[in-house]
């Protein structure tokens, strides 16, 4: 009897037409006996591609040797897998030499290594570091630590579209410039090629945090004159807990290692390299290389669909960041006269975020939005939609409709919206103290 | 080595779609179905037999990945129902085996099959 009931449920699942939005939620209900939200937060993390998991499993189960064991087959096979990942996969994706790739525990560690390592190595002669105001927290925090050690750090402001001006700030004692390739909150793509050229001409090392960019846009470290690059595994459909740092060998970039020990990874990052994770990162990179064009085309199409739908139905929606120089999969929209947190809670069956995951615990509006000069109230009402490889048209349509519905509802309740409808200019109001 | 015929390509396509349908995760299932369909459509015009063979090899490898991952990414709630199904199935197999054993001598005499021991 139970077997036939299960069959019956499968029948229903197969018969539900995918274009029916209501059936989408019902489908999830039937599948899991509980409501799980649609995942639209691909900048926070990404699900692992099944092909990556398939590549990793043998190294979790059978080929469990330590890749640094030189004396037996377990070590040799692990090492061979790790080196394949390093060479054919990660290095190939960015146009680097395999000896220039160092496996780390993630982009945060890579950023720390790059910034602190380079600054400290050259600290005798060079005591200045340049970065931007829209960098990831780990970069800004590393720079803060350097400041407490006596370095001087310039935090470059960005224009309202997120792009920046660099040349004037470089001093003779600058050792490092750090600019992220694609911003994780607003999706803006910095002109890395131009920045690389400027840095090379002035003899300054150039580090870029490419966690959100790698595998999504074509990158070449030689063309773009990048000296150091941070890579994150779990942003490109790979495993969590692994990343890589690209360190240029010609001209040589020297780093003071952060983690000391047995001298693995060229002495720059000691510690056993986790073979399954490295294999997973390698598989994720090679899949990303194959699928880059297909994914980019699809993500652009879905992002356009989402933005067109929302902006055509409701007024006063602003997209933060440059409209063209961006990665399409990261859409940050500000809905005027609506509070961001309440909109997020109203959209509880879609997994979204307002700003980055590492700042979501604090109540302050995102510093990135503040840096691009967004108004305080608009910064509070921004939502980041993340679209990725596994997003479907149905999910995008559902998200757009729900969003439109909830924004309308919240605006109905908003006295500010009422005032705007009556034609009152909010900036001219003198709010009284009670 | 003869290159794969049209029938073989279509058969691989159908098998891949059938296996992709078994993913219990909505996102993996829709991705697999879409990607398989788009890949076969994109490569539909390829004429060169060497390329066709290489693509077929890749397809078979991917089919293996899909089959393994369907098993591994099954949700725990689903494994309960699957266990009930396999119990029913194994019960049938045991029944069938018992039936075969009792009729072994009859079958032997008809020399339809060989039972060793």
């Amino acid at each position: 009897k139970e077997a036939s009931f299960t069959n019956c449920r499968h029948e229903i699942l197969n018969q539900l037409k995918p274009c029916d939005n209501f059936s989408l939620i019902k489908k999830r209900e039937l599948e899991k006996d509980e409501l799980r939200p649609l995942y639209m937060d691909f900048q926070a993390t990404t699900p692992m591609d099944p092909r990556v998991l398939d590549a990793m499993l043998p190294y979790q189960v059978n080929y469990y040797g330590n890749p640094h064991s030189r004396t037996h087959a377990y070590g040799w096979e692990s090492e061979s897998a790790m080196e394949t990942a390093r060479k054919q996969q990660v290095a190939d994706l960015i146009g680097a030499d395999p000896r220039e790739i160092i496996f780390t525990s993630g982009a945060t560690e890579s950023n720390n290594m790059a910034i602190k390592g380079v600054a400290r190595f050259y600290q005798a002669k060079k005591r200045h570091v340049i970065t931007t105001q829209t960098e990831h927290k780990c970069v800004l925090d590393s720079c803060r630590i350097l400041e407490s050690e006596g370095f001087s750090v310039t935090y470059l402001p960005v224009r309202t579209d997120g792009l920046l001006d660099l040349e004037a700030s470089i001093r003779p004692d600058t050792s490092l410039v750090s600019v992220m390739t694609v911003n994780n909150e607003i999706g803006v793509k910095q002109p890395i090629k131009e920045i690389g050229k400027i840095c090379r001409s002035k003899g300054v090392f150039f580090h870029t945090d490419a966690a959100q960019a790698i595998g999504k846009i074509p990158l070449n470290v030689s063309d773009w004159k990048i000296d150091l690059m941070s890579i994150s595994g779990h942003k490109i459909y790979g495993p969590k807990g692994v990343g890589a740092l690209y360190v240029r060998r010609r001209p040589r970039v020297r780093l003071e290692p952060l983690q000391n020990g047995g001298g693995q990874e060229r002495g720059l990052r000691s510690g056993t390299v986790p073979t399954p994770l490295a294999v997973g990162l390698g598989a994720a990179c090679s899949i990303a290389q194959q699928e880059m064009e297909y994914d980019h085309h699809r993500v652009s199409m879905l992002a356009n669909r989402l933005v067109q739908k929302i902006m055509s139905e409701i007024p006063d929606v602003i997209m933060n960041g440059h409209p063209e120089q961006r990665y399409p999969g990261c859409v940050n929209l500000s809905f005027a006269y609506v509070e961001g947190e309440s909109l997020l809670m109203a959209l509880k069956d879609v997994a979204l975020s307002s700003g980055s995951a590492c700042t979501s615990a604090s109540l302050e509006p995102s510093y990135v939005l503040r840096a691009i000069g967004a108004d305080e109230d608009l910064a509070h009402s921004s939502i980041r939609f993340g679209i990725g490889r596994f997003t479907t048209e149905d999910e995008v349509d559902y998200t757009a409709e729900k969003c439109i519905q909830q924004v309308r509802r919240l605006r109905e309740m908003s006295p500010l919206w009422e005032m705007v409808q009556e034609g009152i200019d909010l900036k001219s109001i003198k709010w009284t103290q009670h | 080595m003869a290159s794969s015929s049209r029938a073989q390509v279509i058969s691989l396509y159908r098998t891949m779609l059938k296996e992709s349908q078994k993913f219990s995760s909505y996102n993996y299932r829709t991705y697999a179905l879409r990607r398989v369909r788009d890949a076969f459509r994109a490569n539909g015009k390829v004429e060169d037999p060497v390329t066709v063979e290489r693509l077929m090899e890749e397809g078979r490898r991917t089919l293996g990945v899909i089959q393994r991952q369907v098993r591994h990414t099954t949700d725990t709630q689903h494994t309960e129902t699957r266990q009930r199904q396999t119990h029913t199935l194994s019960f049938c197999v045991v029944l069938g085996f018992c039936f075969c054993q009792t009729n072994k001598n009859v079958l032997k005499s008809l020399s339809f099959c060989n039972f060793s021991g």
Side-chain angles (χ1 to χ4, degrees), chain A residues 74 92 125 157 217 313 409 415:
Chain A
Y74 287 96
D92 221 35
K125 297 255 177 63
I217 56 173
E313 297 278 326
R409 187 180 70 91

Side-chain angles (χ1 to χ4, degrees), chain B residues 9 33 38 41-42 51-52 54 58-59 68 73 79 89 92 98 102-104 108 113 117:
Chain B
V9 172
L33 288 169
D38 288 346
R41 281 221 186 122
T51 322
V52 168
R54 182 176 53 83
E58 217 175 277
R68 281 191 294 275
T73 60
T79 39
L89 196 63
C92 294
C98 291
T102 48
N103 288 316
K104 195 165 67 175
K108 231 178 187 167
C113 38

